[in-house]
Amino acid sequence: RKLLDEYEAELLADGNRKSWDHEQDVDWDRLAEGSVAMGEFTRAETAARSIHEERRRVKVMIRVGRAVQAAGDAGRADRLFADVEDEIHSISHASDRAEALAALSIALPPERGRRLIVSILTLGTWTDALMPIAHADPDVIRDFVDEHAAQVSG
């Protein structure tokens, strides 16, 4: 814990002395990861939210949300995932938004993840939606493969 305190203080001091750079985001990511490992979810969430680059921030927030969810705090995880969904709209490239939505949909319970699949299909390619579909409804993928196999062999 003391090491995390020192690392966080150093990051805050660096952030006050210079403008954003990629290495700061890497450091905030590391602080979030270390905080998750220690079960310090408030610090992990704060570190994740401090990341400047949208795609990295969203990925780290999803990781933190999954850890919070696994620890049994469903309400906090739901709030974090809702914030992540809002953050995804700030990602400029459609394919990057589709990738982020796919990662979020897999972190959500299947019934909530299904809602995001339409957006993934709209923004990205059909392949971006495969993992979310498999997570939300594995039988759909199996049925698709079985049907395709029947067409190829018949």
Side-chain angles (χ1 to χ4, degrees):
R1 177 161 165 71
K2 184 178 181 201
L3 185 60
L4 288 175
D5 289 341
E6 291 170 1
Y7 194 49
E8 183 176 33
E10 184 179 319
L11 283 173
L12 291 170
D14 282 350
N16 290 332
R17 284 196 299 265
K18 62 182 178 183
S19 62
W20 172 84
D21 67 25
H22 173 74
E23 289 305 313
Q24 283 177 319
D25 279 355
V26 171
D27 289 339
W28 284 116
D29 187 342
R30 288 180 183 145
L31 180 62
E33 187 174 329
S35 299
V36 163
M38 298 292 293
E40 294 189 21
F41 300 123
T42 299
R43 184 189 306 237
E45 184 177 338
T46 300
R49 290 179 187 279
S50 298
I51 295 171
H52 180 268
E53 199 273 317
E54 296 91 356
R55 289 180 311 164
R56 180 185 290 266
R57 182 173 56 245
V58 163
K59 287 178 183 178
V60 175
M61 287 174 68
I62 290 170
R63 284 198 324 253
V64 172
R66 289 182 85 147
V68 168
Q69 189 178 51
D73 192 346
R76 183 176 189 172
D78 286 345
R79 287 187 300 278
L80 188 54
F81 290 145
D83 289 350
V84 167
E85 191 171 353
D86 290 341
E87 290 272 340
I88 288 172
H89 298 294
S90 69
I91 298 174
S92 57
H93 291 86
S95 62
D96 292 336
R97 279 196 312 276
E99 181 182 320
L101 284 168
L104 177 59
S105 73
I106 292 168
L108 296 172
E111 63 278 359
R112 286 185 57 203
R114 279 188 197 97
R115 181 177 52 83
L116 300 178
I117 292 171
V118 173
S119 295
I120 296 165
L121 289 168
T122 302
L123 293 168
T125 66
W126 67 271
T127 57
D128 292 327
L130 283 178
M131 286 302 292
I133 291 170
H135 175 73
D137 193 351
D139 293 338
V140 169
I141 299 295
R142 188 194 67 236
D143 294 346
F144 172 78
V145 170
D146 290 347
E147 184 176 322
H148 182 68
Q151 288 176 1
V152 170
S153 65

